[in-house]
Amino acid sequence: MPRTVKMKVFRGEKGEGAIHDYNVHIDDGMVVLDVIHRIQATQAPDLACRWNCKAGKCGSCSAEVNGKPSLMCMTRMDSLDLEKPITVEPLMTFPHVRDLVTDVSWNYTVNKRIKPFKPKAKEADGTHRMFQYEVDRVQEFRKCIECYLCQTVCHVLRNHGKHEEFAGPRFMIRTASLEMHPLDVEDRVPFIKEEGGIGFCNITKCCTEVCPEHIHITDNGIIPMKERVADRYYDPIKMLFRVLTGK
Amino acid sequence: MAQYTTHDFDVLVIGAGGAGLRAAIESAALGAKTAVVMKSLLGKAHTVMAEGGAAAALRNADDRDSWETHFRDTMKGGKQLNFFRMAELHAKEAPDRIRELEEWGAVFDRTPNGLINQRNFGGHTYPRLAHVGDRTGLEMIRTLQDKLVHMAAEIFMETTVTHLFKTSDKICGCLTYSRVTGEFHLFRAKAIVLATGGGGKAFAITSNSWEYSGDGQALAWRAGAELMDMEFIQFHPTGMVWPLSVRGTLVTEGVRGEGGVLLNKDGRRFMFDYIPEAFKNDVAATEKEAEQWVAEVAAGKLATVRRPPELLTRDVVARSIRAEVQAGRGSPHGGAFLDIATRRTAADIQRKLPSMYHQFKQLANVDITKEPMEVGPTCHYMMGGVKVQAENGMSTVSGLFAAGEVAAGLHGANRLGGNSLSDLLVFGRRAGWGAAEYAKTASAPSVNEAEVAKAIEENLASLSRKGGENPYAVHKDLQDMMQDNVGIVRTEDELKQALGALDELEKRVDNVSVEGARAYNPGWNLAMDLRSLIVISRAVTLAALERRESRGGHSRIDFPSYDKKYSKVNHVLYNQNGQMALRADALPEVSPELKPFVEEA
C-alpha cells in the first residue's frame, strides 16, 4: 500500500555527522535503495550512496538498515516495520567517507596479498578436465559479490578491529576457492594461518547469516580451511612423520 | 585557477568491465605503462549483470559447431549490417579467449566429460554459450580483476572522465575527477582505450545502472571520432515489469534457453505466431517439435529437431511481446508470462537459474519454480557506438581506441545474446594490444593547460550556479521523452519531436544547479553525466530518423519492413564544427571466402 514513511538517514563526513529525518512517500514493492533515490531526487540531491546494478549482483549498496548490514537494493520496505522510523547508516566496520559511503579499500589490499591462481599443466589434448562434482564447492564460493557484509558483521573486525591480523570471512572463502580449485597447484595454507589469521575465527557464523548469496561461508569454507591448517601444523602424528621423513 | 594532479601513462583504459580489464591486461602484459580508471569500485561494472554466457564455438556440447557457423549466426542476427571482419575475428578468436579465462582461474559449468559446458541461446544454431549458472558475467569480471591486480597496472576507482584532449589531432590525455574527493586529475596518455559500455540511462525502462550514461560515445564524438549504427538499440525482451521499482531489471535469456515459454493472458504460446520468414527453417513448426527439442537438450543430448520460437533473436521476441500487450493480451502489469515452472523440475530451476530464483523471490514475491514470471522489453544494449578498425580497435582519431559495448561494428543491427561477453574478451584484448603498439611510437603527450582550465570550469559551473534546475528532474524528463519517442517502435513524427525536445533538454542540462560540495556528491556527478546522455540521445534519434525501414533493433511503424536501400549502409555520425552531422557509408564488401556464409537481408 502506498504510504508515507519516516526515514532516519546518517548524513555527514568522515564519521562526523548526525541522523537526518526525511518523510518519504513510498509505493508498492519498493526497496530501501528506491527510497534513498527518492530522497536524492526530491529532498537531498547530494545524499551520497554507492550503488550499481540494483539487482543484488554487484554488491555496491551495502548499508546498515535498522542496524542490520544489508544490501539496500534487496531489502524490501514491506519487510520492515513501517510503523517505526527506518534507520539507514553506513557500514560500521570501514572508515566513513560521506553519508552512506564508506572506504572499503582495505578489502582490495587484503585480496592482493592472496597468491594468485596457478594452474597445473594442460592435458595432452590441450584441455583442462574438471568435473562438475569437483567444482561445485568452488563455484559456491565464487558466487561472492564482494558486498563485504560478512566483513562488516564479523566481530573480529567490527568489534575488535583486527584488520591488520585477520583477513575476514570474504578472504577466507576467496582463499578456499583457490585452495579447492581442482587445477590450482599453489599453497596458501601458510598464508591463511599466519597473515590471514584464520585462528581468530571462532565460528559464530554471523558471516553466513548475513550473506546475500547464501554461501555457507563458515561450514563449507572456513572450517575446512581450519582443518587444513590443523592437519599441517597441529596433527601430532603428521608432525612426527614430518620429523622422521624430513617432508 | 582550479587545482589538479597530473599522472603520466602510455595507455589509459577508461572503464573496468570485461573489455576494459581485458584491454588493461593485454596492454600491461606488453610492457606499456598502463592505468585503468572506472566510475565504480573494481569488480562492480555492468559486466557482473551478464547472466547467460559467453558465445564461442568450443564444440564441447555439440561438435557440429564451427567458427563459420558462429560467424553466419552473428551476421544473420545482425541483419547483415555487421562489419564482417569483426564478426570473423570474433568467431575465430572467442574459443581461445574462453580457454584463456579458464587458465586464469574461471570455473565454468562442466560437460559430463569434464570440459566447459555450453548452453543454447537465441539465434545460435548450436549450444555455444560457456556459462556459470546464471552469473557468467560475475565469473568473468572476477577472473579478469584477480588477474589484473597481480600485474603492473595502476587502478583508479570511482574516477570519472569528463573531457578528452588532443594535440595535433592525436589523443594526448583526459580530465577526470575522483567521485570520492571531488578533486580533478589530469591523465596524460599516449593512447586511450574507451571501454565505457553503453548509454541505457537515456531510457526510462532499462536494465542498465547509473554508470551507463554514454560517456565513451560522447567523449569520442566531441573529440572528433565517428559514431556508427546508433539507431540500433537492443530492447531485451525479458525485463521484470512488476513491482514498478524493479521495472526493467533483466531476466536472463537463459530461462528460455532452459526451456521457458512465453504465454499471453489467454495461455497461448504466442511466439509461434511471430516467426519471421527468414527464420522459418530454423524454428520448430509445432509445439510438439519445440517440446522435443527441450527434452533432448535437457537430457544432455544433441538436438535432432528445431528449436522453440522463444529462442528467436531478441529484436523479434521483444516486438512480439509488445504486439501482444498492444492487442490487449498482456499480463496484468503489461507484459507477457514467462513460464519455466511447468517445464523443468524445481531442483533443475534452482541449479540452472539460481539468481533468477532469488531475484523474483526477493523482489517480486514470485516463486519461479511454482508460478510464471511477468516480463516485458527493457532497454539493454547499444549495438552502435564508436566506429573502430577491426584489427586494433582504433577509432577515427589517432590514439583513441574503443572496445566492447562502446564500440560499433560487431553486432550490426542486432546483437545475439552471449556475443557480448565474447566481444569484450576478443576486442578488449585487441584494443589493449592496439593501444600498447601505438604507444610505442607515439611521442610523449603534452596537454594544453588552458584547455584543462576551461574543462574544469565547465565541470564546476553547476556547483556555482544558483536557481537552476534539479539535475534529477532533467534526467527523468529526458528518460521519459526518449522512452516515448525513440523507444522500441518509432515514427517520423515522434523522432522529429524528439530532436526538438533534445534542443530544449540540452539548454536545461546547461542550466542545472547542484547543492553541496564536491566530495561524493551524486547530484553534481549526474549533472556532468547528463551532458553525455544528451549527445548519445541525439545520435540515436538522428540515425533513427534517417533509417526509413525496420531492421533489428530499429523498428519504424511508418516503415515496417526491410528496405533494400538501407541493407548495405551504416549511418555514421560525425562532428561538424560542434554540430552532429550524419552520412551513410557503404558497408565493406564481404571477402570472397566468407561470402558463402552471408545471406541477403
Side-chain angles (χ1 to χ4, degrees):
Chain A
M1 284 289 267
R3 57 182 293 173
T4 297
V5 293
K6 177 164 270 189
M7 302 293 291
K8 291 176 132 1
V9 182
F10 184 86
R11 304 282 322 259
E13 259 180 77
K14 300 197 170 79
E16 302 288 320
I19 294 281
H20 286 230
D21 289 355
Y22 299 96
N23 290 316
V24 191
H25 175 83
I26 64 164
D27 303 308
D28 274 352
M30 277 174 92
V31 293
V32 173
L33 184 59
D34 291 317
V35 181
I36 295 297
H37 284 160
R38 191 162 278 183
I39 296 173
Q40 273 183 343
T42 57
Q43 303 182 45
D46 64 335
L47 168 60
C49 84
R50 210 179 248 135
W51 70 285
N52 253 47
C53 76
K54 205 173 171 291
K57 293 191 173 67
C58 77
S60 299
C61 64
S62 305
E64 307 204 351
V65 178
N66 286 344
K68 188 186 172 202
S70 317
L71 290 179
M72 288 192 282
C73 72
M74 296 302 274
T75 307
R76 279 173 68 115
M77 290 298 286
D78 59 16
S79 71
L80 305 168
D81 178 0
L82 299 179
E83 296 306 316
K84 296 180 188 150
I86 310 296
T87 327
V88 188
E89 293 164 289
L91 300 179
M92 200 179 106
T93 307
F94 304 116
H96 186 233
V97 175
R98 188 162 179 270
D99 301 342
L100 299 177
V101 177
T102 53
D103 175 3
V104 294
S105 57
W106 170 77
N107 294 287
Y108 289 91
T109 314
V110 175
N111 187 43
K112 210 172 164 172
R113 291 209 296 260
I114 300 171
K115 283 188 191 167
F117 175 70
K118 188 171 160 191
K120 65 182 180 193
K122 287 182 178 170
E123 317 261 327
D125 65 356
T127 65
H128 282 302
R129 301 267 166 169
M130 293 188 274
F131 294 91
Q132 191 60 46
Y133 71 86
E134 292 180 292
V135 301
D136 278 342
R137 60 180 184 171
V138 178
Q139 287 187 330
E140 181 191 4
F141 303 144
R142 292 183 70 90
K143 287 197 305 192
C144 171
I145 57 173
E146 297 200 326
C147 63
Y148 307 127
L149 292 180
C150 59
Q151 305 287 77
T152 306
V153 289
C154 176
H155 63 100
V156 181
L157 301 170
R158 187 180 181 93
N159 304 113
H160 304 289
K162 300 254 182 229
H163 294 66
E164 292 303 313
E165 296 149 84
F166 182 57
R170 160 60 189 140
F171 299 105
M172 297 288 129
I173 60 151
R174 162 112 177 93
T175 308
S177 78
L178 289 162
E179 284 295 292
M180 297 179 191
H181 194 306
L183 301 181
D184 183 75
V185 294
E186 188 59 85
D187 176 15
R188 299 170 194 82
V189 175
F191 164 83
I192 207 161
K193 174 177 180 284
E194 301 299 338
E195 283 182 73
I198 195 168
F200 280 106
C201 168
N202 55 356
I203 323 186
T204 50
K205 299 196 183 186
C206 310
C207 51
T208 304
E209 268 174 44
V210 83
C211 177
E213 286 293 313
H214 309 286
I215 300 168
H216 298 90
I217 300 173
T218 323
D219 289 353
N220 293 354
I222 298 179
I223 292 174
M225 290 312 294
K226 278 178 174 280
E227 284 167 351
R228 289 184 188 203
V229 170
D231 272 0
R232 172 91 54 99
Y233 294 97
Y234 305 111
D235 181 328
I237 294 169
K238 282 193 182 165
M239 282 161 101
L240 185 64
F241 178 77
R242 275 201 298 272
V243 170
L244 294 176
T245 63
K247 281 183 185 170
Chain B
M1 189 178 139
Q3 298 285 308
Y4 59 87
T5 312
T6 304
H7 310 263
D8 283 291
F9 289 95
D10 294 332
V11 174
L12 180 73
V13 179
I14 307 175
L21 293 174
R22 189 62 190 81
I25 288 169
E26 197 66 16
S27 168
L30 292 170
K33 191 183 176 210
T34 304
V36 197
V37 299
M38 62 205 78
K39 280 167 100 171
S40 283
L41 296 173
L42 181 61
K44 308 297 185 193
H46 224 298
T47 305
V48 300
M49 290 291 286
E51 293 161 349
L58 291 160
R59 309 170 72 237
N60 291 348
D62 193 329
D63 65 7
R64 292 172 293 185
D65 204 4
S66 63
W67 76 260
E68 290 93 341
T69 313
H70 191 183
F71 170 78
R72 190 192 67 196
D73 290 347
T74 301
M75 295 294 291
K76 188 171 185 177
K79 320 301 169 196
Q80 314 298 339
L81 272 197
N82 325 51
F83 267 13
F84 81 91
R85 180 64 178 149
M86 290 179 86
E88 178 191 1
L89 289 171
H90 171 253
K92 281 181 175 167
E93 294 178 5
D96 281 346
R97 297 287 78 76
I98 298 294
R99 285 190 280 260
E100 181 175 75
L101 281 187
E102 186 168 74
E103 193 68 15
W104 295 346
V107 186
F108 291 101
D109 287 355
R110 316 307 295 178
T111 63
N113 56 358
L115 297 173
I116 295 170
N117 199 4
Q118 297 179 272
R119 69 158 47 116
N120 284 289
F121 237 53
H124 293 281
T125 304
Y126 299 111
R128 190 178 283 148
L129 271 66
H131 61 276
V132 187
D134 53 6
R135 54 163 193 87
T136 314
L138 172 67
E139 184 69 19
M140 210 166 100
I141 209 163
R142 202 66 82 226
T143 303
L144 293 170
Q145 167 187 351
D146 285 328
K147 171 81 180 164
L148 183 68
V149 298
H150 293 289
M151 298 181 76
E154 283 191 56
I155 291 164
F156 297 84
M157 297 194 224
E158 302 197 301
T159 298
T160 304
V161 178
T162 62
H163 294 75
L164 295 180
F165 301 114
K166 293 193 294 185
T167 41
S168 43
D169 286 334
K170 293 188 174 72
I171 264 322
C172 61
C174 63
L175 179 69
T176 72
Y177 66 89
S178 155
R179 297 180 62 226
V180 177
T181 62
E183 286 162 3
F184 293 107
H185 292 259
L186 174 70
F187 286 82
R188 288 191 297 222
K190 293 175 184 168
I192 288 182
V193 180
L194 299 171
T196 51
K201 271 297 172 198
F203 293 86
I205 301 174
T206 176
S207 64
N208 291 181
S209 85
W210 67 270
E211 288 195 288
Y212 264 45
S213 51
D215 295 359
Q217 293 88 337
L219 288 166
W221 177 79
R222 285 211 190 88
E226 293 177 349
L227 307 180
M228 189 179 84
D229 290 342
M230 290 296 286
E231 64 269 44
F232 299 112
I233 303 234
Q234 181 162 80
F235 290 86
H236 192 292
T238 59
M240 294 177 80
V241 296
W242 187 258
L244 278 182
S245 77
V246 291
R247 187 160 197 149
T249 298
L250 192 65
V251 179
T252 177
E253 188 168 323
V255 177
R256 286 170 284 139
E258 298 296 338
V261 297
L262 287 164
L263 305 170
N264 67 17
K265 78 172 168 51
D266 308 319
R268 181 174 172 80
R269 200 168 162 186
F270 58 83
M271 280 311 301
F272 281 100
D273 307 333
Y274 294 95
I275 303 170
E277 205 49 48
F279 288 89
K280 276 253 151 64
N281 296 327
D282 305 338
V283 178
T286 62
E287 285 200 35
K288 195 167 163 239
E289 186 179 355
E291 311 254 302
Q292 191 186 334
W293 184 91
V294 174
E296 288 175 349
V297 167
K301 294 184 195 148
L302 295 190
T304 61
V305 293
R306 293 169 299 180
R307 61 195 29 235
E310 279 82 5
L311 290 175
L312 280 160
T313 54
R314 290 175 172 178
D315 51 331
V316 176
V317 182
R319 274 196 302 273
S320 308
I321 293 176
R322 187 182 178 279
E324 286 294 304
V325 175
Q326 292 291 99
R329 296 189 292 268
S331 65
H333 300 104
F337 291 111
L338 173 60
D339 174 42
I340 183 87
T342 64
R343 306 273 141 180
R344 301 292 291 266
T345 65
D348 269 1
I349 296 168
Q350 291 207 30
R351 193 170 61 81
K352 288 285 190 180
L353 303 163
S355 78
M356 283 306 104
Y357 174 76
H358 288 299
Q359 185 173 312
F360 273 89
K361 189 100 181 151
Q362 214 148 346
L363 296 175
N365 274 337
V366 167
D367 180 348
I368 68 166
T369 66
K370 296 200 176 78
E371 325 158 59
M373 298 158 248
E374 264 189 85
V375 296
T378 178
C379 174
H380 184 54
Y381 189 90
M382 299 182 83
M383 270 66 76
V386 180
K387 187 182 166 195
V388 293
Q389 295 171 30
E391 267 71 13
N392 64 3
M394 188 146 89
S395 72
T396 49
V397 168
S398 289
L400 183 63
F401 297 76
E405 187 175 352
V406 68
L410 170 60
H411 307 293
N414 173 62
R415 175 176 70 82
L416 295 185
N419 271 0
S420 178
L421 290 186
S422 40
D423 172 9
L424 307 182
L425 297 170
V426 169
F427 293 103
R429 171 177 162 276
R430 283 187 165 271
W433 163 77
E437 282 293 312
Y438 175 91
K440 276 185 193 165
T441 56
S443 47
S446 71
V447 180
N448 180 330
E449 276 184 35
E451 283 183 48
V452 180
K454 185 166 169 284
I456 289 177
E457 196 180 307
E458 277 175 34
N459 288 344
L460 292 176
S462 63
L463 280 164
S464 52
R465 191 179 294 122
K466 297 283 172 253
E469 267 196 275
N470 175 344
Y472 293 93
V474 179
H475 186 207
K476 184 173 185 305
D477 288 351
L478 171 69
Q479 288 183 300
D480 289 342
M481 190 285 289
M482 288 297 286
Q483 186 78 35
D484 291 345
N485 296 316
V486 198
I488 184 165
V489 293
R490 302 157 175 174
T491 66
E492 189 95 10
D493 285 350
E494 287 177 348
L495 291 167
K496 282 182 174 159
Q497 266 177 40
L499 282 180
L502 282 169
D503 289 340
E504 285 308 304
L505 283 157
E506 182 164 21
K507 285 182 201 144
R508 291 172 64 190
V509 166
D510 290 339
N511 190 40
V512 295
S513 297
V514 295
E515 292 174 22
R518 278 154 59 182
Y520 228 111
N521 183 341
W524 179 49
N525 302 164
L526 175 61
M528 288 180 276
D529 288 351
L530 281 172
R531 301 184 306 214
S532 300
L533 284 167
I534 292 286
V535 172
I536 59 151
S537 298
R538 182 166 286 128
V540 172
T541 310
L542 279 171
L545 190 59
E546 194 60 27
R547 188 171 284 276
R548 292 177 182 82
E549 65 158 355
S550 292
R551 184 182 296 266
H554 168 68
S555 301
R556 290 279 299 256
I557 292 179
D558 39 0
F559 300 96
S561 40
Y562 284 166
D563 184 338
K564 280 268 178 258
K565 191 178 150 210
Y566 297 99
S567 66
K568 291 205 176 347
V569 293
N570 299 107
H571 287 146
V572 171
L573 298 137
Y574 59 100
N575 188 333
Q576 196 171 44
N577 308 319
Q579 297 297 308
M580 193 174 279
L582 180 144
R583 64 161 201 270
D585 276 6
L587 205 61
E589 188 70 18
V590 176
S591 63
E593 62 272 25
L594 292 172
K595 271 269 164 68
F597 306 107
V598 298
E599 298 155 25
E600 283 295 305

